[in-house]
Amino acid sequence: MRARILNNKLLLTVILAGLAVLPVVTESKFLLSMLISVFILAVYAMSYDLLLGYTGIVSFGHAIFFGTGAYSVGILLSKTKEPNLLIVALLLGVAIAVLMGILIGAVSLRVKDVYFSMITLALAELFFIVSEKWSSLTGGNDGITSIPVPAIFRDRIAFYYMALLFLVVMYLFLRRVVASPLGRTLQAIRENEHRVESLGYDVVKYKIVSLVISGMVASLAGGMWAVFQRYINTSVLSLDRTIDALLMTIVGGTGTLVGAIFGAGVVTFAHEWLSSLSTIHPIFERWLLFFGLVYIAIVMFFPKGIIGTIRDRWMKK
Amino acid sequence: MSLILNLLLNGVALGMLIFLIAVGLSLIFGLMGVLNFAHGAIFIWGAYIGWTVYGATGSFILALLAGTIGGVVLGWVIERLFIRPFYGNHVAQILLTLGLMIVMSEGLKIIWGPNILGFDKPELLQGVVTILDHAFPIYRFFTIGVGLLVLLGVHLLLTRTKYGLIIRAGVQNPEMVQALGIDVKRAFTMVFAFGAGLAAFGGVMAGPSFGSVFPELGMQNQLAAFIVIVIGGIGNFAGAAIGSLLIGLLQTFMAYYVPDAAVAVNVALMALVLILKPEGIFGARR
């Protein structure tokens, strides 16, 4: 057991070191950009994993948090034309996420898990439509273009390191959360909600806390996304955005933060690769079909995802 | 006056379409606890199958039939292959049906393309009827009439037949029904296929009603059906019917008077019901 953890840490350090020297050895703008989006989306996927993998609740409204983070940055920076307000915008996004988490949780976490899924979907749809209609604020379908960002974020290599740092910090933070007594309670809720309740825990309260933390992290990821793209539109609030998080989490393995990171990488690269195949055959424009099939197979046959399954194999040896 | 009557008629007709998709979802959810995220996809597959058959044969009746059969087959396959191994595991069921939704909606776009397809009303049902100097589209009456027939049919099925008894008892207490030696699994498959058939039937009906079909229509209607279930209460037939009418009317009136708030008001109503009565207006506390 101890050897396994040691192994893991070693492996992670090696990968991290590899990623850290990458910009030195490659000039490929494409690869760096791709990795930046993987880093940011990995944080988003990890935040989803806190809900799905650690607390055992299925939300279809995760894009709400990602989107509010992205729009906080997009709206504040482009309206004020003051790129140095970035920190304020990110904090604003986090504050809104906390508020949203409490509100959504209070309304919907009192009912059965299946209801929660339905309600988050409806709320997400509501947010999506509001963002489309309220175009004076959000730019509607056209979105917000050329968001002014601090100069340092315009340098691709500097941004690469910033995004990597962001991922590492968020990983360490979330690992701290899941290893804490709070995280253990969440995992107990996942395993047996009634038992935790009969032990005297206020399950709803813990679930709301989980939703709030997850929402805060997702909001930060959304904010970083807006900085990275310097352009956002309503797609940051769409159901597809939530499904992204879900696919990444499931593919990598629920209940393992590393799995979410890995899943983000696999999904992003596969997306890019499969859609590039559309020059060979137009069917690859519908790359999500292949991913849907892989996803179904994983849920049915490898419920622990790629990383979870690998870990299990290691454990047995 | 004419306007109000027209809106009422539209609202009831829309409510009937939502009912067709909500009732199957509600029975499946109530009986097996499966939240079927692929239900909207079945609805839209029904619509597209209907569109194809209607285009090929020119017969709307055949289109309805083909769409419904397509839905039943899809439901049957989905239940046997994907749902059955995961009874009791809600999270896996939600995740699986979500995957099916993705695959089915992408598959739809591969076969029929992602664009809007026009779906004309059958010739007999085009035009308007004039009642007391007010003109009303015939297809609305047709939708309402068919909806009422289905409502009555499902009601009779649930209250007058042995299968209805099993289903109602199953919604109340599946373990007890199983213990009495009734093959609940078989009932599950049948209800799933039946619900899917109704949804697909609703899809074909909805095509001419909206005048066109497009892939996103499935999710939109599924969302309305979800809201209906939350409002009406789990597995509650009357709740699904009344909730559908409520949402249909609300949506139609809002779409006319405050178009920007049409969807918001549904979600707001749902939130209100949840806060006041989490088990739904007609749901029993459990």
Side-chain angles (χ1 to χ4, degrees):
Chain A
M1 185 75 183
R2 178 169 289 175
R4 186 177 67 87
I5 293 166
L6 207 69
N7 256 337
N8 247 342
K9 263 189 185 156
L10 191 69
L11 193 68
L12 285 182
T13 318
V14 169
I15 294 174
L16 193 63
L19 287 172
V21 296
L22 197 73
V24 184
V25 294
T26 177
E27 298 259 298
S28 165
K29 281 183 180 168
F30 176 73
L31 183 68
L32 289 188
S33 292
M34 189 101 116
L35 282 171
I36 293 172
S37 44
V38 170
F39 296 158
I40 296 172
L41 292 176
V43 172
Y44 176 52
M46 284 195 301
S47 75
Y48 192 76
D49 197 24
L50 183 67
L51 287 180
L52 178 66
Y54 288 92
T55 321
I57 49 183
V58 187
S59 162
F60 285 108
H62 210 51
I64 293 175
F65 298 112
F66 188 84
T68 46
Y71 272 114
S72 300
V73 169
I75 292 170
L76 195 67
L77 296 194
S78 62
K79 294 268 175 197
T80 60
K81 300 199 170 31
E82 184 50 77
N84 294 323
L85 283 179
L86 178 61
I87 301 285
V88 180
L90 287 173
L91 289 178
L92 182 71
V94 169
I96 296 173
V98 171
L99 214 63
M100 293 315 308
I102 293 172
L103 273 177
I104 295 172
V107 173
S108 53
L109 279 170
R110 300 188 305 149
V111 289
K112 269 174 73 175
D113 49 356
V114 212
Y115 269 97
F116 176 75
S117 304
M118 275 197 279
I119 294 156
T120 50
L121 181 73
L123 289 173
E125 187 67 12
L126 179 66
F127 266 77
F128 179 72
I129 286 165
V130 168
S131 73
E132 294 238 300
K133 302 277 181 194
W134 197 352
S135 48
S136 59
L137 188 72
T138 62
N141 219 348
D142 300 331
I144 301 172
T145 47
S146 52
I147 299 167
V149 295
I152 186 163
F153 286 98
R154 289 191 199 161
D155 181 69
R156 195 181 308 266
I157 292 175
F159 196 8
Y160 175 90
Y161 282 113
M162 217 106 62
L164 185 59
L165 183 71
F166 175 58
L167 172 62
V168 171
V169 170
M170 285 296 138
Y171 170 74
L172 292 175
F173 168 68
L174 285 173
R175 208 182 56 168
R176 187 75 198 83
V177 169
V178 297
S180 70
L182 167 71
R184 300 220 179 280
T185 312
L186 294 181
Q187 287 164 62
I189 291 174
R190 177 192 68 195
E191 293 305 323
N192 192 335
E193 191 173 332
H194 294 297
R195 189 172 293 172
V196 177
E197 200 163 15
S198 59
L199 284 172
Y201 287 90
D202 187 345
V203 169
V204 172
K205 206 176 78 190
Y206 276 92
K207 281 183 172 176
I208 293 178
V209 170
S210 169
L211 189 64
V212 166
I213 295 174
S214 162
M216 285 161 63
V217 177
S219 167
L220 282 175
M224 285 295 278
W225 186 254
V227 176
F228 172 52
Q229 300 282 320
R230 275 183 260 162
Y231 160 77
I232 48 167
N233 66 3
T234 48
S235 74
V236 290
L237 277 166
S238 67
L239 177 65
D240 291 351
R241 190 56 68 176
T242 297
I243 290 178
D244 278 349
L246 205 122
L247 287 178
M248 290 167 185
T249 312
I250 299 279
V251 168
T254 52
T256 61
L257 293 173
V258 177
I261 300 174
F262 189 71
V266 171
V267 173
T268 309
F269 274 90
H271 174 185
E272 204 60 42
W273 177 65
L274 286 171
S275 10
S276 74
L277 288 180
S278 63
T279 48
I280 302 168
H281 193 285
I283 202 168
F284 288 105
E285 271 167 35
R286 306 255 76 89
W287 67 277
L288 203 54
L289 177 87
F290 301 101
F291 235 90
L293 292 172
V294 171
Y295 161 88
I296 289 175
I298 288 177
V299 174
M300 290 189 83
F301 305 113
F302 303 96
K304 289 185 174 162
I306 298 174
I307 295 289
T309 308
I310 293 174
R311 273 196 185 168
D312 271 14
R313 295 278 146 85
W314 275 1
M315 289 278 275
K316 274 178 194 152
K317 270 185 188 173
Chain B
M1 193 57 197
S2 168
L3 173 70
I4 299 285
L5 280 178
N6 239 317
L7 287 178
L8 271 175
L9 191 69
N10 287 355
V12 174
L14 181 63
M16 287 300 178
L17 291 176
I18 297 176
F19 171 74
L20 289 175
I21 172 164
V23 66
L25 196 65
S26 175
L27 286 177
I28 292 168
F29 188 26
L31 183 62
M32 328 180 199
V34 174
L35 179 56
N36 182 15
F37 260 89
H39 208 69
I42 295 170
F43 168 92
I44 197 67
W45 268 78
Y48 272 88
I49 294 172
W51 179 86
T52 308
V53 172
Y54 184 51
T57 64
S59 160
F60 191 61
I61 301 213
L62 278 182
L64 279 172
L65 205 65
T68 310
I69 293 172
V72 168
V73 172
L74 279 171
W76 190 277
V77 172
I78 289 174
E79 200 277 341
R80 293 306 287 264
L81 289 185
F82 301 103
I83 308 288
R84 179 161 283 189
F86 296 97
Y87 277 117
N89 186 349
H90 294 288
V91 173
Q93 287 166 351
I94 295 177
L95 297 179
L96 268 176
T97 51
L98 183 88
L100 290 169
M101 180 202 90
I102 296 173
V103 170
M104 284 170 77
S105 58
E106 290 301 304
L108 189 85
K109 290 176 198 162
I110 290 177
I111 300 176
W112 285 285
N115 299 323
I116 295 179
L117 301 176
F119 201 145
D120 289 332
K121 296 181 179 77
E123 224 166 282
L124 259 177
L125 302 171
Q126 285 172 1
V128 292
V129 264
T130 314
I131 303 169
L132 300 170
D133 295 337
H134 299 307
F136 301 105
I138 295 177
Y139 196 82
R140 298 267 182 264
F141 286 109
F142 176 68
T143 311
I144 294 172
V146 171
L148 284 175
L149 278 179
V150 171
L151 213 149
L152 187 71
V154 177
H155 174 73
L156 289 178
L157 185 86
L158 284 177
T159 53
R160 296 289 157 84
T161 65
K162 199 180 124 212
Y163 263 108
L165 193 67
I166 294 173
I167 291 168
R168 279 184 298 140
V171 169
Q172 294 296 324
N173 192 339
E175 289 87 3
M176 182 56 90
V177 177
Q178 182 92 56
L180 289 171
I182 290 159
D183 191 349
V184 176
K185 279 192 175 162
R186 205 174 121 86
F188 280 5
T189 311
M190 292 190 63
V191 168
F192 207 97
F194 176 66
L198 276 181
F201 178 79
V204 188
M205 288 294 294
S209 189
F210 298 133
S212 60
V213 286
F214 47 94
E216 289 76 22
L217 206 57
M219 199 58 197
Q220 279 174 23
N221 282 281
Q222 175 163 310
L223 201 68
F226 278 0
I227 293 175
V228 164
I229 296 188
V230 173
I231 292 174
I234 309 176
N236 187 312
F237 176 72
I242 295 169
S244 302
L245 279 181
L246 203 61
I247 290 296
L249 286 167
L250 203 60
Q251 205 163 311
T252 309
F253 275 86
M254 289 303 277
Y256 185 80
Y257 289 107
V258 205
D260 285 349
V263 173
V265 76
N266 289 346
V267 178
L269 180 68
M270 182 188 71
L272 192 72
V273 169
L274 274 172
I275 293 168
L276 298 177
K277 207 159 177 285
E279 65 278 11
I281 299 177
F282 305 96
R285 193 174 277 281
R286 41 165 92 195

